[in-house]
Amino acid sequence: MRCFIALDISEEVKHLLGQIPKLDESSTKITWVNPDNIHITLKFLGEIDDVKLKKVSESLSKINMPRFTLKTSNIGCFPNENHPAVLWLGIQESKFLLDVQKKIEGALNQLFQPEKKFVSHLTLGRIKFINDKNALQQYMKNLYVKECTFDVKEISLYRSDLTPQGPKYTKIQKFKLS
């Protein structure tokens, strides 16, 4: 099964993200992420079997971290503005967020390769093609998303099933923060 570890966002933030005005599709085709599926991915695990899933679960259950609060920040894209493929909303730098991600990497270092570089973000959409790069850059420059804070109370282990209608995420297990 295809799995990842993530932090969930609040319903308020999901609602806010659902209100973002969409770009005219004649200039750029973006496949928008359903706000209910938006999360902060801490580690993508890929395809794993039940044995590895059990080891992941055991490792995550040993992580001890306090609850913390995160705040959204600016709009951006991967890999960069000249070759955008993913449109995202950033998360302000947080020592707690970096600590929890590092603890997950450390707990799973015997099972998975480490992430090359962790960039905390909320994926808003995937850019399929661009007819007008200037229109996309103007859209991103003018897009304002109200800054929002939300509490992080748990780490979630998800299963991801790819369907023709888009990915379907199922929470396998949650790990409470203290």
Side-chain angles (χ1 to χ4, degrees), residues 7 26 38 40 43 51 64 66 69 93 98 101-102 110 118 129 139 165:
L7 299 177
S26 66
I38 297 177
I40 301 170
K43 183 157 188 71
V51 172
N64 184 19
T69 301
E93 192 170 311
L98 294 175
Q101 199 276 334
K102 284 179 186 172
Q110 299 296 316
F118 175 68
F129 69 84
Y139 170 78
Q165 296 77 33

Side-chain angles (χ1 to χ4, degrees), residues 13-140:
V13 176
K14 289 178 186 180
H15 177 75
L16 178 74
L17 298 179
Q19 304 302 313
I20 292 176
K22 307 302 186 237
L23 182 64
D24 174 20
E25 288 202 16
S26 66
S27 65
T28 300
K29 171 69 173 143
I30 299 176
T31 301
W32 297 96
V33 176
N34 179 329
D36 289 334
N37 282 347
I38 297 177
H39 57 270
I40 301 170
T41 301
L42 297 172
K43 183 157 188 71
F44 180 72
L45 305 177
E47 290 289 333
I48 61 174
D49 60 23
D50 289 339
V51 172
K52 210 170 205 183
L53 179 65
K54 186 174 192 242
K55 290 178 182 177
V56 168
S57 178
E58 289 169 356
S59 296
L60 292 177
S61 67
K62 295 175 184 172
I63 292 176
N64 184 19
M65 283 284 300
R67 295 176 176 197
F68 56 95
T69 301
L70 294 176
K71 189 182 290 188
T72 60
S73 65
N74 58 315
I75 296 289
C77 59
F78 292 131
N80 59 54
E81 285 188 22
N82 290 323
H83 298 77
V86 174
L87 181 65
W88 50 259
L89 177 64
I91 301 295
Q92 285 187 12
E93 192 170 311
S94 161
K95 176 192 177 318
F96 293 105
L97 177 58
L98 294 175
D99 284 351
V100 76
Q101 199 276 334
K102 284 179 186 172
K103 284 188 177 194
I104 289 169
E105 286 290 349
L108 301 178
N109 70 351
Q110 299 296 316
L111 301 170
F112 301 95
Q113 292 291 319
E115 296 289 324
K116 289 183 178 127
K117 182 181 179 192
F118 175 68
V119 178
S120 57
H121 68 282
L122 304 170
T123 298
L124 303 176
R126 290 173 179 78
I127 300 166
K128 298 300 180 188
F129 69 84
I130 303 170
N131 282 336
D132 185 347
K133 192 184 284 189
N134 290 333
L136 177 61
Q137 289 173 340
Q138 277 303 117
Y139 170 78
M140 288 176 50

